[in-house]
């Protein structure tokens, strides 16, 4: 975990938020970073997120970064800090419904598809416009759209990664202008992981999700 201070310093200078991705890692590893001041942690599975939430200090800000099934929203709605992986209007409706039960407004990011891989979740630009223009969306009062999240293709070709991140940044700017001009909460662009976070920051990221570089490789 000796990388933490260097990464933190780099990101702080650029005003970028670090989400430490602790999936598969034991609570002791989370506490080690917590003790050094880290408060934002990300998990990709609801079950694991719940278990860690129960065990860990309550001032941790938990980010759900992995694919979320509608029937599991209820398990995290009371306390999840931000959901990065909203990829449909129906999921957003369910988040809204569960948030209302707890009298909350849950911050959400719309996961945007930018990679050349069939396996990555997310909406394309046309789907994002359709969602944001729908009357259903307009009626959702217990969610807040705070920005976008995306993942680049898993490749060593930096030019492909850069082009995808710039594409995401362009979509972000278009949506901000079109739908969120007066809405300051639409400000987060969650892009960049261990292998590509510096490229992401150069391309305008405001939040990176870093796992293996902080905690070591996963099994
Ligand atoms: C696992 C994961 C990360 C972190 O990946 P690393 O390569 O370990 O930094 C970031 N974002 C999402 C959505 C993930 O599932």
């Amino acid at each position: 975990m000796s990388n933490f201070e260097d990464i933190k310093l780099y990101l702080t200078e650029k005003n970028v938020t670090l989400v430490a991705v602790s999936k598969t890692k034991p609570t002791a590893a989370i506490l080690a970073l917590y003790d050094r001041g880290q408060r934002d942690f990300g998990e990709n599975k609801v079950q694991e997120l719940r278990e860690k939430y129960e065990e860990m200090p309550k001032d941790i800000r938990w980010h759900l970064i992995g694919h979320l099934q509608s029937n599991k929203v209820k398990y995290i709605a009371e306390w999840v800090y931000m959901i990065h992986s909203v990829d449909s209007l129906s999921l957003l409706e369910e988040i809204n419904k569960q948030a209302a039960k707890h009298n909350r407004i849950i911050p959400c990011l719309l996961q945007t598809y930018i990679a050349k891989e069939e396996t990555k979740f997310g909406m394309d630009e046309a789907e994002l416009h359709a969602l944001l223009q729908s009357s259903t969306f307009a009626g959702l009062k217990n969610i807040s759209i705070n920005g976008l999240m995306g993942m680049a293709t898993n490749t060593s070709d930096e030019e492909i990664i850069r082009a995808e991140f710039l594409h995401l940044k362009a979509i972000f700017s278009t949506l901000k202008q079109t739908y969120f001009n007066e809405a300051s909460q639409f400000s987060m662009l969650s892009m960049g992981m261990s292998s590509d976070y510096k490229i992401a920051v150069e391309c305008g990221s405001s939040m990176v999700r870093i796992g293996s570089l902080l905690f070591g490789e996963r099994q």
Side-chain angles (χ1 to χ4, degrees):
M1 269 173 260
S2 54
N3 286 327
F4 176 67
E5 311 297 341
D6 289 344
I7 294 171
K8 190 72 203 159
L9 186 63
Y10 172 81
L11 295 174
T12 302
E13 276 176 0
K14 311 252 188 238
N15 213 7
V16 172
T17 301
L18 171 63
V19 176
V21 177
S22 47
K23 62 190 187 195
T24 78
K25 297 298 176 183
T27 49
I30 296 175
L31 277 181
L33 280 196
Y34 179 90
D35 287 342
R36 290 152 88 177
Q38 180 64 20
R39 289 296 178 273
D40 291 275
F41 289 88
E43 291 282 336
N44 69 335
K45 293 205 166 77
V46 166
Q47 178 65 26
E48 187 174 348
L49 178 57
R50 285 176 80 188
E51 287 167 12
K52 286 175 173 169
Y53 168 76
E54 294 297 335
E55 283 182 53
M56 293 283 102
K58 289 297 172 275
D59 61 339
I60 285 182
R61 298 184 286 266
W62 290 106
H63 299 248
L64 194 278
I65 62 170
H67 184 63
L68 177 59
Q69 290 172 287
S70 289
N71 61 1
K72 296 192 174 163
V73 175
K74 57 178 175 283
Y75 299 124
I76 59 172
E78 191 174 356
W79 44 264
V80 69
Y81 179 74
M82 183 176 278
I83 298 175
H84 291 226
S85 44
V86 174
D87 59 1
S88 72
L89 180 56
S90 61
L91 175 59
L92 205 51
E93 286 183 81
E94 178 63 17
I95 295 169
N96 185 73
K97 181 177 146 192
Q98 297 300 332
K101 286 185 185 170
H102 299 288
N103 214 4
R104 291 191 68 193
I105 295 173
I106 297 184
C108 294
L109 306 179
L110 300 175
Q111 186 168 352
T112 304
Y113 183 85
I114 50 168
K116 290 183 170 46
E117 294 161 287
E118 285 298 326
T119 53
K120 301 243 153 112
F121 291 103
M123 294 175 278
D124 64 22
E125 193 171 0
E127 290 169 322
L128 291 167
H129 281 282
L131 186 154
L132 293 168
Q133 288 169 10
S134 73
S135 55
T136 303
F137 171 71
L140 304 180
K141 302 301 179 210
N142 291 81
I143 53 95
S144 158
I145 301 296
N146 286 23
L148 303 180
M149 183 273 256
M151 272 186 277
T153 301
N154 186 9
T155 171
S156 57
D157 187 334
E158 290 199 3
E159 289 319 304
I160 292 177
I161 295 169
R162 190 176 301 275
E164 290 173 353
F165 283 154
L166 288 174
H167 182 208
L168 181 56
K169 171 70 178 179
I171 296 172
F172 175 86
S173 300
T174 300
L175 296 183
K176 183 157 184 68
Q177 247 176 5
T178 311
Y179 305 104
F180 299 100
N181 224 350
E182 321 250 290
S184 59
Q185 89 280 356
F186 190 87
S187 60
M188 301 312 292
L189 188 49
S190 169
M191 62 181 193
M193 319 186 358
S194 291
S195 58
D196 57 19
Y197 77 94
K198 286 195 174 166
I199 304 174
V201 169
E202 287 164 18
C203 295
S205 170
S206 56
M207 186 178 263
V208 295
R209 310 173 310 274
I210 299 183
S212 47
L213 212 51
L214 294 171
F215 294 107
E217 291 297 328
R218 289 177 297 273
Q219 298 303 311

